[in-house]
Amino acid sequence: VITISINRFAESNYLVVSLDLSKPVDSMVTCAIDTARLLHAGVILISVIEKEMAGFEPHYRARLKEIRQFLSAYHIKCNSHLLFAQNSVPEEILAFSNRIDSAVILLMTRLKNDSSRSKIGSTTLEVIANSKVPVQCINPGYNPSFLIDDLSRTNLPDSLSLSL
């Protein structure tokens, strides 16, 4: 459940979708489509690259482009940004969200097979604690039935394949 002030949403109808491109993103992409359709909003995809991951920049750019094209095929207005971490990942996410005055931030909880006791990681907790806008936390198993039927008839790129 997420609540959004109509006044707040009227000022900015963009969702910031923070993607960790080193992990599967199908649940986040599915939720971004669902939420954007529900709120008649655009999506801004972001991924933060920390210094030790700088060598993956071409891969991350290609993934963002692929996801952006996928969302566009669903008539979702979409843009993407690759952020190079100068600060912690949560600080970068929050700074970007504040800079563009987003309406909502979407983040993923830990993976289903994560053996830690907490399903919400430290990045997500810090963003929730410090965000000026609502934060929607997505379970890695998020698959709304009406989108699964729609997406199952679509040729997804291999890197976005949904487990149906």
Side-chain angles (χ1 to χ4, degrees), residues 57-130:
E57 178 184 351
H59 172 71
Y60 280 28
R61 287 194 185 283
R63 291 271 307 191
L64 282 172
K65 180 180 179 184
E66 182 179 50
I67 297 165
R68 190 175 64 241
Q69 289 172 339
F70 182 76
L71 288 171
S72 295
Y74 278 87
H75 308 289
I76 305 294
K77 184 177 177 182
C78 185
N79 201 340
S80 63
H81 297 272
L82 193 56
L83 309 176
F84 294 90
Q86 303 298 313
N87 300 300
S88 71
V89 172
E91 289 172 323
E92 295 293 343
I93 293 167
L94 291 165
F96 185 86
S97 175
N98 291 337
R99 192 166 47 251
I100 67 148
D101 197 29
S102 71
V104 179
I105 299 172
L106 275 69
L107 297 170
M108 187 178 295
T109 58
R110 293 182 187 267
L111 295 175
K112 285 186 262 188
N113 60 359
D114 189 325
S115 61
S116 69
R117 290 178 14 218
S118 173
K119 290 295 181 193
I120 298 181
S122 59
T123 296
T124 302
L125 286 173
E126 189 172 333
V127 171
I128 291 169
N130 296 296

Side-chain angles (χ1 to χ4, degrees), residues 5 59 149:
S5 163
H59 172 71
D149 291 341

Side-chain angles (χ1 to χ4, degrees), residues 1 7-8 17 23 25 32 40-42 61 71 106 113 118 127 129 150 158-159:
V1 174
N7 294 333
R8 172 80 186 130
V17 179
K23 298 176 182 169
V25 297
H40 304 286
R61 287 194 185 283
L71 288 171
L106 275 69
N113 60 359
S118 173
V127 171
D150 194 22
D158 288 339
S159 58

